[in-house]
Amino acid sequence: MSAHTRGRWWLYALLTVMLVAVVAPFAWMVLGSFKTQGELLQNPPTWWPQTATLDNYTQLFSRLNFKQYFFNSTVVAVAVTAGNLLFCSMLGYALAMLSFKGKKALFGVVMATLMIPGVVTFVPLFVLVANIGLIDSLPGLILPFLVTPFGVFLMRQFFLGLPRDLLDAGRVDGAGELRIFTRIFLPLAGPALATLGILTFLGSWNNFLWPLVVAQQEQHYTLPVALALYSTGQNSTQYGLLLAGATVVVVPVLLVFLVFQRRFIEGIATTGIK
Amino acid sequence: MATTTEVTPRGETGHTSPSPRRGGAGMRAVREGRAAWTLALPFCLLFLVFTAWPVLQSLFMSFTDTKSRDLRSPFSVNVVGFDNFTKAFADPVFRKAALNTAYFVLIGMPLTLGIALAAAVALDKGITRFRSAFRLGFYLPVITSIVAVAVVWRFLLQQDFGLINTVLGWVGIPGPNWLGDPNWAMPGLILMASWRNFGTAMIIFLAGLQGVPWVLHEAAAIDGAGAWQRFRHITLPMLRPTMLFVSVTTSIGYLQFFEEPFVMTSGGPLNSTISMSMYTYKQFGFGNYGYAASMSYIIFVVIAIVAAIQFRLLRDNT
């Protein structure tokens, strides 16, 4: 027993050191976003801002148009999330509860593409989106991500766990097939929809490569694109602005995460996909 | 689609089937099938256009010399067979990119999983208080944008006023010029990637550890096994399936290593951090679509092979 307690003391020490190492960069980012350029270049670096200033944020939103990027990111993430929730739950339900011709083949094809990395479809997808005239537009950022094989898989697995009796009960009551789905099964799918919704929203908010290529004029940039181009461009030495930009990209998802964290971590643990 | 629309009205009037009961069951199957395809249709259309078609076209494109100027008519190009692939294997930059990617995976993955496993084991049975706070904290980097992370880490890794070298200085170690030195740029990126990604693996390890029966540990402890022996001979073998899953998913992610060098080093200094994905992206940027498509399929094949090897290693030796 005493060995146990001694062991715990060490574990707490180890975990605390790790936690500090993990959280410190975030704290440094947020605190740094309130510092002046001069202070950020000081050696040794300061921890608390000596002269706290909001200049970086006012510049970001007035001169650098981060308001627009924030709006774009939000529109894209919300549309992509809505599409995935709707279309993936529809197909997931059909695959789990209904029998129809071609079901096995459809499921097989969708699952096979789960393993194909995004880089493979990247070039032809760009050509396709260019050919239908959607390069440099918000629909071009949204359409390719409206459905994902992973979403179908997640919803199907969830619906498989619901009792089939509900389906028969609905039929006996004379409800149509689509009505049974929207009125009986969809409301029961809350937990799965929440998991899929959070994962999709975060994925879309943090998505980088596709928006980087498709959004060509700056009015269509999403936040990560704006931040990346800004930080690799000629302005890359305005450190305060960069840290404020990084904070603006990170803080909304941190808030979403803190609100839904329990559900989110359960979702990761049970599905095992990032 | 045509057959279902025909059958339904006839079925409704009851003319098709002599037995009303059979007709009812058949009707229901038809109605069910029609409903299922109605539900499946929006997904299928989007999936065909934006996933299935690009996958196939990419395969075709990888055997052609498609350039960006062929954008309007992707089929007016020359089929060049395996030329792109032989060109890639002879391309010194692609070779360098492949080596860098291997370096990133071979060092980065064990480091990430090691930290994750240590954190998970410590959190699982060792402590009771603040467990969820630790779990939450360790998970924070995972959910944040890699671009924002990269921006912040560019400062942390600065030679003169970076936080990491400052901390190293406290214990008397002069920190290197992380991102400016070809020998230190990759270790810097690996450090950052491990920091960012270990949380995902930790959560999955935690779920796996719940499947390790505590009685085994107690029995072994009574027999005099120390903490390390119990970890080595009970926890690790029981975690094998979890380990397989985590290492496969982590290596798939790490083999596509892109954003970190893009934002932090642009592949430099001296191509020391250019990755296969990043070189693919660069070739795409130069307008060499066929070449880029071939390299994307090389990455895909490498991923498939690596996943298959891990399945072999971790599944058969149980």
Side-chain angles (χ1 to χ4, degrees), chain A residues 8 99 120 171 206 231 239, chain B residues 32 58 71 126 143 154-155:
Chain A
R8 276 182 189 171
S99 53
V120 167
R171 283 177 179 164
N206 293 334
S231 72
Y239 298 130
Chain B
E32 189 172 320
S58 191
L71 208 61
I143 57 152
R154 260 193 12 202
F155 296 107

Side-chain angles (χ1 to χ4, degrees), chain B residues 195-211:
Chain B
W195 173 86
R196 178 175 136 85
N197 293 312
F198 87 93
T200 309
M202 177 199 71
I203 298 281
I204 299 167
F205 278 137
L206 268 174
L209 284 170
Q210 279 166 10

